Amino acid sequence: MVGLLGIPLGWVWSLLAPPQRMRVVSADSDPVPLQLESWHRFDGIAIFLLMGLFAGLIVGIAVWFLRERRGPVVLIAAVAGSLLAAWLGARMGVSFAEGRYALAGPPAVGDIIEKAPVLESGWTLLAQPFTTAAAYGLLATWNSSDDLGRRLA
């Protein structure tokens, strides 16, 4: 279930990440970014990282509330599910963004086009599983019971 969280995360990222505006300078070369527009490459990564940190925190806390199942197996499952969610969110988010900023036809020289945001670093996939493990680990450390509070009595 945690892995499926990546689909809505990718969709929200595709709505929030800004496109990069580019000018077509010639028919045979790639478009060049307008001044200061290349910073949007970082903006897309930063938005995805922040969303992953928040989602990982929520997943770590939610899994901790599964009181009767607490332990290392659930931690490993939550971290693996968060890694799957981050990977799925990155793939689906880029796909959603490409569909949102698709060109209707070939641009003419001098036109300004919007290039869909991309995630250029694989390191962005580690934010959500890291935060899931950190949140779950801090809650386990904070608990003073030997059995992590699994017994309800």
Side-chain angles (χ1 to χ4, degrees):
M1 290 305 291
V2 173
L4 293 178
L5 181 65
I7 296 172
L9 283 176
W11 179 70
V12 170
W13 176 81
S14 73
L15 296 176
L16 294 176
Q20 187 177 9
R21 294 184 328 152
M22 306 181 95
R23 180 178 302 276
V24 178
V25 291
S26 69
D28 58 346
S29 67
D30 292 334
V32 295
L34 297 177
Q35 189 174 11
L36 303 178
E37 285 289 318
S38 61
W39 291 1
H40 288 317
R41 292 171 49 206
F42 171 77
D43 296 341
I45 291 173
I47 290 170
F48 191 80
L49 281 173
L50 290 174
M51 288 177 60
L53 290 173
F54 179 73
L57 180 67
I58 297 301
V59 167
I61 292 171
V63 170
W64 177 256
F65 281 127
L66 298 172
R67 185 177 183 127
E68 62 278 351
R69 305 236 186 251
R70 290 180 185 166
V73 174
V74 171
L75 171 64
I76 292 169
V79 169
S82 291
L83 183 62
L84 175 64
W87 179 80
L88 191 59
R91 298 291 171 216
M92 294 299 291
V94 169
S95 296
F96 288 141
E98 286 175 355
R100 187 170 179 218
Y101 295 106
L103 295 175
V109 175
D111 283 351
I112 294 177
I113 60 171
E114 291 183 334
K115 181 182 173 191
V118 294
L119 292 170
E120 297 178 356
S121 176
W123 291 102
T124 57
L125 301 180
L126 298 180
Q128 186 174 348
F130 173 76
T131 311
T132 299
Y136 193 89
L138 286 173
L139 289 169
T141 303
W142 194 5
N143 187 335
S144 61
S145 301
D146 289 340
D147 67 347
L148 296 176
R150 280 186 265 188
R151 285 179 285 164
L152 299 176

